[in-house]
Amino acid sequence: MKAGRVFAVLGVVLLVSFGLWRWLRAPAFVLGADGNRNVLLVTIDTLRADALGSYGGRALTPNLDRLAAHGARFTFAHAHAVVTLPSHASILSGRYPYEHGIRDNTGYRFPATQPTAATQLKTQGFATGAFVGGFPLDRRFGLDAGFDVYDDRLSAAADESGERERRADAVVASALDWIGKQPGKWFSWVHVYDPHVVYGAPAEWAARFPSDPYLGEVSWTDFALGALFDRLAAQPRPTLVVVTADHGEGLGDHGELTHSVFGYETTLRVPLVIAEIGAEAGSRASTARGVTIDTAVRHVDLLPTLLEAVGAPAIDGLPGASLGGLIAGGSGADRPSYFEAMSATIARGWAPLRGVLASRDKYIDLPIPELYDLAGDPNEQRNDVSIRADRARVLVNLLKTFNVAPPGRPREETPETRERLRSLGYIGGGSAPARDAYTEADDPKRLIELEQTMQRAMDAYRQGRPGDAIAMYRSVITRRPDTEDAYRKLALVYWRAGQARDAIATLEAALKNGVTQSEVKIKLGQYLAEAGQPGRAIALLESFAGDDPDALVALGNAYVAAGRRNDALRTFRHLLDVDPRNGLAHENIAVVLLQGKDYAGAEASLRRALDLDPALAGAHTALGVVLATTNRRTEAIDAWKRAVELDAGELHALFNLTLNLAAAGRGAEARTYGERFLAMAPTSLGPDRAQIQKVLDGIR
């Protein structure tokens, strides 16, 4: 070997050795109390711990890995729920789902009186700002309490699902804008949704994992968060950073393609990294030696940790404990934890899934119970419940100590809220009848094939294969005739294909098979009214509407279809008596007034609707009609554009945009919206399609 090359190699070895020596001599990361630090909570939706580089995963995550290298990385952290809203409620409140009451994404609201990280830090002088990327965390669900700013503005989706999510880079940009304006200390919660299905990373990142789009999404998310972490270094005070996930993703393990059904480690175990960065943290942030902690920890430990870290008073009665001592000592006693998965119970009547973790043992309470030794069987392939019966009994008794209340009946959601959640793949929908007992036939393990079929059917429909979707939904109904959402989704596919008779027959079959959730009746009434049978719709809806907001909306619309405008107004005004802040009621009143050519009254009602809920795409559409009719075409075009931004499938807005942009001489824009209309409009809208095609043919 030449002398020059020898010296070069020795130089590299010495540099590496010197760097390792410096790292080994660096003080280990500790989390002391400092009331003058900022606090950043980052939650990454649907992130499996084993996807990150620092956890041995294949995703490209240098920014999160760098935090872990200089902070505390917890290898055995767990969520308490496997869907977004309940899990975030536990993260922010420090309480288990049965304590804060949020058991699913649909039909529950976080109590306004429940203390959270935001409410508590606000009392300590922190400015508080939240920036969320997915609809399940919309402010309507109640997690906005205590935040000075709660930015839940989402982007339009590219398909019929409407408003769905906001890309990570947009969430980060909004958070950075707010952070840059804060003169004092602040607490910010940044939620990025991107790893959630449907996986669709920007092309550059998708290309790096062509056979694994999930890892592409995770890698893209890490890249987007890099700008946030980099900016914190310029802050005038240090920032405590906590990064975790709400839950993981099945990715086919145990037969679960996504999440919400099971409580296996694929969806329950989450990454957790705690670090500090910023100008005053300075050398501590850049040279502190990271610590890896294998002790079991939980989401309910995060709020006590944040409060202790800023010297804020503890909240009495919280089940968790600060992680500060664990970080300082490097290990400690494992913390038993409770978890649940209730979505399929609430919506489909499957057996409720509850469980406990103690040390490295996991017990899952189902009609077919499960016990796993996670130390020796981390992939949960061997159910030890029969060969370790004594340990199973201990964990059954431990589960009883959590005093778990049943989920109770969820509240009714607005149709718009349900459709948005369903577009994200959540079960949602009506509430299955409560049951006193469940059998092995109700165990999710016996029924997961149905969930797989439902997911494949949704994918088939999204991919433009409605025939395949129909066949799959029908197969689910044949096997388990009480699957409410299979009827509902099958009827929707028929309806959007212009097969109104089949859609109606599907929902009528649901009722005959004992699926009597109010939503089935409401949807049937809606379809009957829109299919030219308002009399049948009225008879059905009047029989049970009462004070049910959704039923009242459907009944009022049926009256409109029957030409009974006075009855419609009476119904919508009764809805406002029941729910004074129901923006949809004001929107529907406006539609009735618009039919009667009361443009001033209609506009006032629409403005009130949008004051209550700016995301009502239909209200923007109707407002556009009022504005165009009263010679305000430019404003009308803006209103219709906003409607389409909120709901990409708002056909009335697309239709009106095309006609009015063409009339205004804005041909290029008219063509854009007209082509979108033609791509989405069902064949049943033949005359409208022909009119739009004629307009497009006339544009040069």
Side-chain angles (χ1 to χ4, degrees):
M1 182 181 292
K2 294 182 179 180
R5 188 176 179 188
V6 170
F7 286 127
V9 171
L10 287 173
V12 171
V13 171
L14 288 171
L15 284 172
V16 171
S17 300
F18 179 68
L20 179 61
W21 176 79
R22 286 190 61 190
W23 184 82
L24 289 173
R25 283 181 56 85
F29 172 77
V30 293
L31 183 61
D34 181 356
N36 192 41
R37 56 161 50 114
N38 303 316
V39 178
L40 172 66
L41 170 65
V42 176
T43 58
I44 305 174
D45 217 288
T46 324
L47 177 61
R48 283 175 63 139
D50 60 8
L52 298 177
S54 58
Y55 284 80
R58 295 192 301 117
L60 304 175
T61 55
N63 293 300
L64 293 171
D65 297 345
R66 191 175 303 115
L67 277 182
H70 298 289
R73 181 176 67 88
F74 295 83
T75 66
F76 202 66
H78 286 83
H80 309 294
V82 290
V83 288
T84 299
L85 182 61
S87 188
H88 278 93
S90 291
I91 291 170
L92 291 171
S93 72
R95 296 192 179 277
Y96 291 118
Y98 63 86
E99 294 180 306
H100 57 62
I102 310 299
R103 315 302 285 274
D104 192 17
N105 282 341
T106 307
Y108 297 91
R109 297 293 185 273
F110 188 80
T113 56
Q114 187 87 255
T116 66
T119 62
Q120 299 308 105
L121 293 180
K122 189 174 176 64
T123 65
Q124 301 299 306
F126 286 79
T128 54
F131 307 87
V132 303
F135 179 71
L137 299 176
D138 185 278
R139 70 179 63 239
R140 72 190 66 193
F141 301 116
L143 291 183
D144 60 328
F147 285 105
D148 301 324
V149 171
Y150 195 89
D151 182 358
D152 55 358
R153 296 169 296 172
L154 304 177
S155 304
D159 57 21
E160 75 284 345
S161 63
E163 185 176 18
R164 186 175 67 215
E165 65 178 284
R166 177 167 47 162
R167 274 186 14 167
D169 54 347
V171 175
V172 167
S174 183
L176 286 175
D177 180 66
W178 179 82
I179 289 171
K181 296 175 181 176
Q182 302 313 307
K185 60 185 180 181
W186 49 262
F187 164 58
S188 180
W189 166 34
V190 174
H191 163 261
V192 288
Y193 195 71
D194 302 64
H196 195 283
V197 71
V198 178
Y199 315 127
E204 174 189 353
W205 296 94
R208 300 187 185 195
F209 294 92
S211 62
D212 196 333
Y214 175 75
L215 291 183
E217 284 262 59
V218 173
S219 301
W220 149 251
T221 300
D222 177 88
F223 173 78
L225 287 170
L228 178 62
F229 300 146
D230 290 344
R231 182 78 67 85
L232 296 182
Q235 286 282 297
R237 56 176 55 81
T239 300
L240 173 65
V241 181
V242 177
V243 180
T244 191
D246 55 350
H247 52 75
E249 187 77 315
L251 299 178
D253 293 340
H254 298 277
E256 185 169 29
L257 299 176
T258 57
H259 56 275
S260 79
V261 175
F262 288 141
Y264 296 117
E265 293 294 273
T266 52
T267 59
L268 198 67
R269 179 173 166 244
V270 293
L272 175 60
V273 174
I274 299 177
E276 188 174 49
I277 54 181
E280 290 186 10
S283 60
R284 290 207 309 277
S286 59
T287 64
R289 176 165 47 86
V291 294
T292 299
I293 298 170
D294 297 324
T295 301
V297 298
R298 313 154 298 183
H299 271 164
V300 293
D301 297 323
L302 295 183
L303 180 55
T305 303
L306 295 181
L307 296 178
E308 183 181 77
V310 298
I315 300 174
D316 291 338
L318 290 183
S322 172
L323 300 175
L326 272 182
I327 294 172
S331 65
D334 284 326
R335 303 166 184 214
S337 184
Y338 166 83
F339 60 89
E340 68 180 36
M342 293 293 179
S343 297
T345 302
I346 293 165
R348 292 182 180 157
W350 296 6
L353 187 155
R354 293 170 286 234
V356 288
L357 280 156
S359 186
R360 289 304 194 263
D361 286 330
K362 176 192 280 189
Y363 178 77
I364 301 174
D365 181 39
L366 282 170
I368 306 172
E370 299 169 69
L371 173 64
Y372 297 102
D373 171 14
L374 297 178
D377 180 24
N379 296 323
E380 298 164 292
Q381 298 299 306
R382 185 182 64 253
N383 183 359
D384 289 344
V385 75
S386 60
I387 64 175
R388 301 175 65 206
D390 289 345
R391 182 59 173 164
R393 281 191 290 272
V394 169
L395 295 181
V396 167
N397 289 328
L398 175 61
L399 178 59
K400 292 177 181 178
T401 67
F402 284 94
N403 297 316
V404 181
R409 187 175 182 84
R411 60 176 281 176
E412 292 288 342
E413 292 287 6
T414 66
E416 173 216 24
T417 297
R418 285 195 303 267
E419 289 305 317
R420 292 186 188 181
L421 289 169
R422 289 168 189 159
S423 75
L424 302 171
Y426 292 111
I427 296 172
S431 174
R435 298 170 59 180
D436 294 329
Y438 296 87
T439 69
E440 291 188 2
D442 303 313
D443 193 299
K445 294 185 291 296
R446 293 278 176 88
L447 299 169
I448 190 60
E449 184 182 343
L450 299 184
E451 173 64 20
Q452 294 169 344
T453 303
M454 294 285 288
Q455 186 65 46
R456 287 195 296 268
M458 181 180 293
D459 291 341
Y461 182 69
R462 283 171 171 160
Q463 294 163 9
R465 297 184 285 117
D468 291 343
I470 288 169
M472 285 184 270
Y473 286 133
R474 292 180 68 175
S475 73
V476 171
I477 291 169
T478 298
R479 178 172 169 185
R480 182 133 176 156
D482 63 347
T483 308
E484 181 268 344
D485 53 329
Y487 291 101
R488 170 170 38 81
K489 292 176 180 178
L490 174 58
L492 181 63
V493 174
Y494 279 135
W495 185 260
R496 288 181 172 168
Q499 298 173 243
R501 182 177 300 177
D502 291 324
I504 290 169
T506 296
L507 296 175
E508 289 175 334
L511 296 178
K512 290 178 182 177
N513 287 334
V515 179
T516 58
Q517 284 96 319
S518 63
E519 189 190 10
V520 172
K521 301 176 186 177
I522 292 167
K523 186 60 70 174
L524 177 57
Q526 175 189 333
Y527 287 170
L528 286 169
E530 294 184 24
Q533 303 178 60
R536 289 186 61 199
I538 290 168
L540 171 66
L541 295 165
E542 282 182 337
S543 68
F544 74 96
D547 290 340
D548 184 320
D550 292 338
L552 290 171
V553 168
L555 178 58
N557 287 333
Y559 284 135
V560 171
R564 295 166 58 177
R565 289 202 295 269
N566 289 336
D567 288 329
L569 287 173
R570 171 180 51 79
T571 301
F572 294 137
R573 285 168 179 154
H574 175 57
L575 173 55
L576 286 175
D577 291 336
V578 174
D579 181 5
R581 295 189 58 79
N582 192 305
L584 191 58
H586 287 286
E587 176 187 329
N588 288 330
I589 287 172
V591 171
V592 178
L593 296 175
L594 187 57
Q595 288 183 343
K597 301 187 186 308
D598 180 359
Y599 301 119
E603 182 172 353
S605 289
L606 290 167
R607 303 263 184 213
R608 176 60 177 153
L610 292 172
D611 284 343
L612 292 169
D613 187 352
L616 286 173
H620 288 283
T621 298
L623 180 59
V625 173
V626 172
L627 293 169
T629 305
T630 53
N631 300 314
R632 290 174 282 174
R633 174 180 284 167
T634 299
E635 294 177 63
I637 288 172
D638 290 340
W640 289 321
K641 283 186 176 180
R642 180 57 181 151
V644 173
E645 289 173 3
L646 290 166
D647 183 354
E650 181 59 42
L651 293 177
H652 295 299
L654 289 170
F655 181 84
N656 284 310
L657 268 173
T658 304
L659 296 183
N660 282 270
L661 286 167
R666 296 159 64 175
E669 290 181 87
R671 178 170 295 282
T672 296
Y673 291 105
E675 289 174 349
R676 287 172 62 179
F677 176 85
L678 293 176
M680 293 181 174
T683 55
S684 59
L685 294 180
D688 292 336
R689 291 176 60 89
Q691 186 175 358
I692 293 298
Q693 187 61 61
K694 183 177 180 180
V695 169
L696 297 185
D697 290 343
I699 296 173
R700 295 180 180 178

